[in-house]
Each structure stands twice: as C-alpha cells, then as structure tokens.
Amino acid sequence: MSKLYNLGCSFAYGNCVPTRNKLCNEHRGPGTYIAEYLNIQEVNLARNGNSIDGVLRKLYTYDFEKDGVVLIGVPPSGRFQVVGHLEQRYNKERGYKSGLFGKTDESQTCIRYAYTKGPATKGDYFHTLKWAEVTSEHINETSSYHVLFNILKIQKRLKELGLKYYIYNSIGYKHDPKNEETKKIKEQIDWSCYYKPEYSMFDMVKSNIEYELAEGDQHPNHYAYEEWSKDFIDWLEN
C-alpha cells in the first residue's frame, strides 16, 4: 500500500482541536491515525458538509494509485449535491456557526478556527444541500434508498478500481427501509469491510462530553479520533 485516501464529510476531514475547546496548529482526523497505523501517507479528500453522492463522485474523478487503500466515512443521509458557480473552500473560518452554537468565548473561538489548518481544495464547484428536515415516512424511505444505493455503487466502483477499502458511519442512519426494492439493495451491500454498520462516530461523541470539539459543537476532537481509531484498528486486526 502506498497511500490512504480519506473520504467523507467533516467527521472524516478532521480539525485542529486536540481536546474540547482547545486549538492547536496540527490538523488531524481519522485518516491521520489509520494512515499512521498502516505506515503510509494520508491523502485527505474529505470535505466539510459532504454527501454520499459527493463521495461516489470523487471515486470517478480522482486518480487513485492502484496499491492505495480507501477509508470512507458515510455522511448523513439527508444531503445531496448540486453544481454551483462558486468554488468551494473547506479550510475556512466558521464565524456564523461559532456565534450560533458557541456557549462561551473559548468555545466560539474553537468552533470558528477548528477547520482552518486542514487541506485546501482547488476546482471544487459542488455544493451540498439538505432535504427538508421533516419526519414524514417518505423522507425516511427516500433517505434510506439514497444512502444505501450510493453505498452499493461505491462498493461496485471500488471493486472496478481494484482498491482495498474500509467504510464506517460518520453520523449513523438507523431507519430500516420498508420498500422491497430498497431492502433488496441493502441485501447486496458487502458488510465484511464495513466497520460496525449499526454504530457511528457521532454515537461515540455523544457518549462522553470530552469527545466534543467544543461546548455547543458535537464534532469529534483529536481525543475522540484517537479513541475511535484504537477500536477500529482492533477490528482490522481481528
């Protein structure tokens, strides 16, 4: 293996927050720890706010080395991408969110600058939008179909590329589809390379306040990534 290709949303992208409400100058995420364990270079292709179709798109547009390994954090199901006219940036300040979610001056500073040390991007014009956040059954069924079908297509593409891969959930989606076609799609997914499919990194963050990026922001910090990686590595070895 030559490189670890890290894909997913903000949970996969990482940040520069070692412990809750504290900033540092080093950007780290789950791909950083797994690449260190495998003793290979990390290529961080994750994006804040990414969607599952955004992950699939990258598998068709990026030039992967044949002996690389792909690590995918599945983003929330209720997102989809459109092509815009403005280039996207993913290592920018989050001034609006810091004021909206930060409970203290310290947490607001942490939220504002948490992603400013991460890798920049060039030429990305894909914007992620969200479906209406309602609890109606058709939204749940559509979200299930959307995420499961894209996971299946991701696996098919990775097999075409001949790349070794591992998948995990950034933010879990536990709705069981009732539609028979969606069930059939789910049955075709290969779960052997899928780390704890009924569990998510967000579940872990919610279990311990010390895993939070900042007060008011439940993204994982470096401590959470390190603890998650220990269990992930144990799963890899067994």
Side-chain angles (χ1 to χ4, degrees):
M1 295 180 291
S2 61
K3 294 178 181 178
L4 181 137
Y5 298 98
N6 180 50
L7 291 93
C9 61
S10 56
F11 276 59
Y13 183 69
N15 52 62
C16 56
V17 180
T19 57
R20 190 172 186 259
N21 291 329
K22 302 296 182 183
L23 290 167
C24 71
N25 289 320
E26 183 181 13
H27 182 98
R28 297 180 71 84
T32 314
Y33 290 96
I34 304 306
E36 288 175 350
Y37 165 73
L38 296 173
N39 196 28
I40 57 177
Q41 177 187 351
E42 177 194 10
V43 179
N44 195 343
L45 303 176
R47 301 289 178 260
N48 291 347
N50 205 359
S51 59
I52 190 68
D53 53 331
V55 173
L56 178 63
R57 169 177 60 86
K58 188 60 69 174
L59 294 178
Y60 280 90
T61 57
Y62 190 84
D63 294 325
F64 296 91
E65 294 184 7
K66 294 299 183 183
D67 59 346
V69 58
V70 177
L71 179 68
I72 295 175
V74 175
S77 60
R79 297 175 179 175
F80 65 95
Q81 293 204 319
V82 299
V83 185
H85 64 280
L86 295 176
E87 187 173 15
Q88 293 293 287
R89 283 189 56 217
Y90 298 99
N91 60 351
K92 60 186 178 182
E93 294 181 24
R94 297 189 301 162
Y96 171 73
K97 288 190 175 182
S98 67
L100 185 64
F101 298 114
K103 305 298 183 182
T104 64
D105 290 344
E106 186 179 44
S107 64
Q108 286 185 13
T109 299
C110 190
I111 294 170
R112 184 182 186 103
Y113 297 105
Y115 295 93
T116 56
K117 303 295 183 182
T121 57
K122 296 291 184 181
D124 189 348
Y125 290 85
F126 285 80
H127 300 240
T128 304
L129 301 180
K130 295 181 180 179
W131 291 327
E133 294 180 351
V134 296
T135 58
S136 60
E137 189 64 24
H138 71 277
I139 290 294
N140 286 332
E141 285 292 323
T142 302
S143 295
S144 292
Y145 163 75
H146 179 68
V147 71
L148 291 171
F149 198 20
N150 275 286
I151 289 171
L152 181 60
K153 289 185 282 188
I154 283 170
Q155 290 187 333
K156 297 287 187 183
R157 178 57 179 167
L158 287 165
K159 289 177 182 178
E160 288 178 3
L161 294 170
L163 291 170
K164 189 174 184 178
Y165 69 90
Y166 304 105
I167 300 175
Y168 66 93
N169 296 318
S170 293
I171 301 178
Y173 186 66
K174 297 180 173 63
H175 175 72
D176 290 322
K178 298 178 176 61
N179 179 275
E180 290 303 319
E181 287 197 40
T182 307
K183 288 181 180 180
K184 189 172 288 292
I185 288 170
K186 185 176 182 179
E187 291 169 358
Q188 296 178 66
I189 293 174
D190 180 0
W191 302 102
S192 63
C193 293
Y194 206 121
Y195 170 69
K196 293 186 176 180
E198 300 301 323
Y199 181 71
S200 74
M201 192 179 290
F202 186 50
D203 292 328
M204 177 185 175
V205 174
K206 290 189 294 182
S207 73
N208 185 345
I209 195 173
E210 296 303 320
Y211 290 148
E212 293 180 351
L213 184 143
E215 185 179 3
D217 190 331
Q218 288 189 305
H219 282 85
N221 56 33
H222 293 185
Y223 174 48
Y225 286 133
E226 184 175 12
E227 293 300 303
W228 178 90
S229 297
K230 289 177 182 177
D231 194 60
F232 184 88
I233 290 168
D234 183 66
W235 171 77
L236 280 183
E237 293 178 343
N238 295 288

